[in-house]
Each structure stands twice: as C-alpha cells, then as structure tokens.
Amino acid sequence: MTSTDILPHQLFLAGEWRDGGAGTFADVNPATEDTLVEVAAASAEDVNTAVAAARAQLSGEWAALPGSQRGRILARVADLIERDAEILARLEALDIGKPVMQPTVLDVPNAARTFRHFAGWADKITGTVIPTDGYFGRPTHSYTRREPVGVIAAIVPWNTPLMIAAWKLGPALAAGNTVVVKPAEDAPLSILHLAGILQEAGVPDGVVSVLPGLGSVTGQALVDHADVDKISFTGSPEVGRHIGMAAASSFKRVTLELGGKSPQVILADADIEAAVGGTAMGLFFNQGQVCAAGTRVLVHRSLYSDVVDALAGAASQQVLGDPFDQATTMGALVNKKQQDRVLGYIAKGQAEGARLVAGGARPDHAGFFVQPTIFADADNDMTIAREEIFGPVGTVIPFDDPADAVRLANATTYGLAATIWTKDVTAAHTLAAQVHAGAVWVNGWAAIDAALPWGGMKSSGIGRELGWSGIVANTEEKVVTVVL
Ligand code: TAP
C-alpha cells in the first residue's frame, strides 16, 4: 500500500476526484522532511471548470433548496466532521507538523461548531421592512432582501486549514453561495477530506470544488476569473494586498484576513500564574504560527523581571518532537522557508540588542523545528516587535502605566487581536475600548467562537467572518420598494 492509497491527493472538481491539469506538487511532512504524497495541482482550465459548475448551481438544484434544507446539510457536515474527528486531527498533524492534541481539542471541534452554527442561520437570513417618506405623495412599501453574493473563491493558508476553510464555507453555504476552495500547498489534506464529507452530507455536485495548486497559478486564476464574485482570503498581508488590488479592478467583493503583531498586556494587578500560562500559550501554540499570536508581551515594570523569568521557564518546559507523541507540546514549523525566516528574525533580534533569555536555535535533528524563544530588554521599535514572525518568538517589553501600555499596544501597523490580563474590571473595559484590534480578550488568549465576528483593523485586514457578520459578508443587500 502506498501513501496515495491512504491520503487524499486529487482535485475535488465539480463532484469528482480528478488529476490536475498542472501536474502534481510534493506535500512534505514538516516533522520528518519526507514527502507524504504527490498532490494534484489545478490548472487555470480546472479553475474554469470549477467556476462554471459553481455558477450553474446558482440557478440549479442548490439555488432551489430552501434555507432549512441547506441548514440540514450543514448540520450533517458538522456530524460527519465529528465522526471523522480522529482522521482529520491526524491529517492536520501530519501535514502541518503540529502536535495532534491541538487539532483534536481546537481545529476539528471548532470546524464542526462552525458548520453547526451556520446550519442554524441558513433559514434565518431575513431582511427588514423600512418606513419611508413615500413617493411624490404616494405611500410605499420598502423592504430588504439578503441574496447570495454568487461564486466565492476561498483562498486558505496552511496554519489552521480545516478551521479556516470551515469559517469560509459555513457562512457562504448557509447564505446560498457556491465556493471554490484553494488550500495552501503546504496543507491540502484535511480540506480534501472535508470535500468528501461535504459530498456525503448532500452538498450537490459543483456547489463546492477543492482545488489544490500553486498560489501563482490556481490562486491567481481564481483572482483573475471574471465569473468569481468574491474572494475570501486568509493569509499574508503581501498576498492580501495583491488580491485586494486585483479585485478592485473588477469590483469583486473581498474579505481579507491578514497577519498580526498582537499585544498581550499584563497589568500590575494581574493574576501572574494565569497571565504567564495564557501568554505562553499565545506565543507557542501551533509553534507561533497563529495570526492572533500574542507576540508582543507588554508587562508592567513592577512585574517585568518575574514575568521574563516565568516565560523563559515556560519556554524551557516545552517538549519539541514527534507530533504524534502524546508528550509533545510543540511540533515543527511548516517548511524550511518558514524555519529559516524565523531563525533570521531571531538573529536580527540579537543584532539589534534584545536579550535572548530562552531558545534561539533549531534542534540538531531532522524536521523544521525551532526552539521556543523569548527576548527581554527589547523595545517596541525593534524589528522583532514590529514585523510578524509567524514562529515561536516572544518579545517582552516593559511599560509604566496603563496609558503607556495602550500607546505601545497601538504602535503597530496591525490590529487583529489583543489580550489584557487584569483583575480590575474598570481597567479591562477601559483598555478594551482604547486598543485598536478586531478582538480583545480579557484574562484568556484566543477565546474565539463561531458566533463571534472575526477580523482585523488596519493592516490586519478588511471585513469580518463568523456570526451574523459572516452572513452579512456573504450576502448582497437589495432594497425593494413598491409604490402603493
Ligand atoms: P500566503 O503566502 O499569503 O498564502 C495564503 C494563500 O494564498 C495560500 O493558499 C497561497 O497559495 C495563496 N496564494 C499565494 N499567492 C497567491 C496569488 N498570487 N493569488 C492567489 N492566491 C495566492 O500566507 P501563508 O504563508 O499561507 O500564511 C501565513 C500568513 O497568513 C501570515 O501572515 C498569517 O498571519 C496569515 N494568517 C492570517 C489569519 C487570519 S484569520 N487573519 C489566519 C491564518 C494565517 P500557496 O500556498 O500555494 O502559496
């Protein structure tokens, strides 16, 4: 038996498993550096076929289904994700190098929860009746309708592929859209398994296609396609800017979920044990490859040396290794490029004068591992505090009072998330209002949920996903006025 007998590796194109028109690419196991499987790469012609099938379903079987039926199908998707939870978690661990415990407790349940949440919305997408001044003395009856945007291209990164695919598919399908998904080259496997689940749950053929391939070929063909109505993109600010500019020329709708340089603010009265534990999780979860990673740790000066020591201790307690070993708390970074990039930032932090108090190197064995790393005596203007590293590297910066903390928290081009650690309810709400971020968490890191809007301010993106905001982002609002 070979890996192609076990692992999904073909395009899921208009309801059929097919080879790709652009050959194959190697999907590598980051923890061993071995090739897992050769995955089919979609060509521009494959994109045309998928988009045509998606377009046809907007006036086909899918369009004819009432919202309640779409909801039943999405609820079945959630059930099947739970049935296949172990397979999906193992595919994520294999493909991305993360400890299998993480997708088991987060990515897979979150994906199921997302489909179930949007199953509930599918028959509740309503408009409003709006009173007006009338029409030249005649009364009117005006109301709004929320209609599907159309064909949506969902372009997904590699760090949490199943979850982010669910965040895009759940609201899009609930609102009656059709979707072509482009997974990242580094992590197509769990989304390909999800494609089979969608079909089994009763999503009609053509409503969703999953097309692995190169960003510059498959992704670009979707961005350029005249019959794609919206791009829902999660990934780097560089590619996001490129997509936003390309979409503007054809007036495609866009949702951009980009990077972050999120602060974790530890006020003088914080519960130190909870703050250090939560802050370490915000630094090292998924090897720091999290858009909302809390990489700028802003600490009241009275606690500074204690927090630095405790975070260095937390770093030294991480167990790097085989993602399938239950003792492992940190796996590998996704690829060699990412490993080199993170090590480059660590070298830059040292060159710019920050004090390395933990980690800083790659272990001496195969796999794209980097030790959990903490820098102290740093300031907010250093490169390691300004640029998104997307690796397990935290920079600890002191502040003197809450106003200083807010100034530092906001001194970034990003605005995705922020965490505040305090027992003072007034300080918590005051800072939450003052910090520029799409999400603020108090006394916990990454308290995300399918019901809560998700997205960033400033360079962290445009638009929101999830909750009712996810439905708004996946619908066009039409107003109908009848002159009575
Ligand atoms: P990117 O390099 O931007 O890739 C994201 C996706 O875009 C991949 O599927 C990629 O394909 C595709 N792509 C690349 N070039 C394209 C093009 N010209 N046209 C269309 N698609 C193209 O990001 P990444 O390295 O996968 O992920 C890391 C970044 O994503 C970080 O900056 C991180 O902060 C951000 N991120 C943000 C969030 C949220 S929710 N805000 C969540 C996760 C990650 P290939 O894989 O084939 O290159």
Side-chain angles (χ1 to χ4, degrees), residues 30 93 144 149 214 257 333 351 392 457:
T144 59
V149 173
L214 309 195
E257 303 289 351
L333 301 190
M457 296 182 182

Side-chain angles (χ1 to χ4, degrees), residues 127 184 190 210 424 456:
S190 60
V210 175
D424 179 342

Side-chain angles (χ1 to χ4, degrees), residues 211-223:
L211 303 185
L214 309 195
S216 55
V217 177
T218 316
Q220 191 64 45
L222 282 165
V223 171

Side-chain angles (χ1 to χ4, degrees), residues 277-360:
T279 300
M281 183 162 78
L283 288 169
F284 303 138
F285 193 83
N286 203 18
Q287 296 69 251
Q289 301 167 126
V290 180
C291 50
T295 48
R296 290 186 301 137
V297 185
L298 309 179
V299 185
H300 189 264
R301 206 173 290 280
S302 64
L303 305 175
Y304 189 74
S305 59
D306 287 349
V307 169
V308 167
D309 290 348
L311 285 175
S316 66
Q317 281 163 16
Q318 300 292 322
V319 182
L320 268 66
D322 177 1
F324 292 95
D325 185 332
Q326 293 299 322
T328 297
T329 62
M330 276 182 63
L333 301 190
V334 76
N335 58 31
K336 172 90 177 100
K337 188 170 149 214
Q338 192 66 13
Q339 184 190 41
D340 289 345
R341 183 181 134 96
V342 173
L343 291 171
Y345 273 112
I346 292 171
K348 200 159 226 171
Q350 290 175 289
E352 290 183 8
R355 181 164 59 93
L356 185 70
V357 293

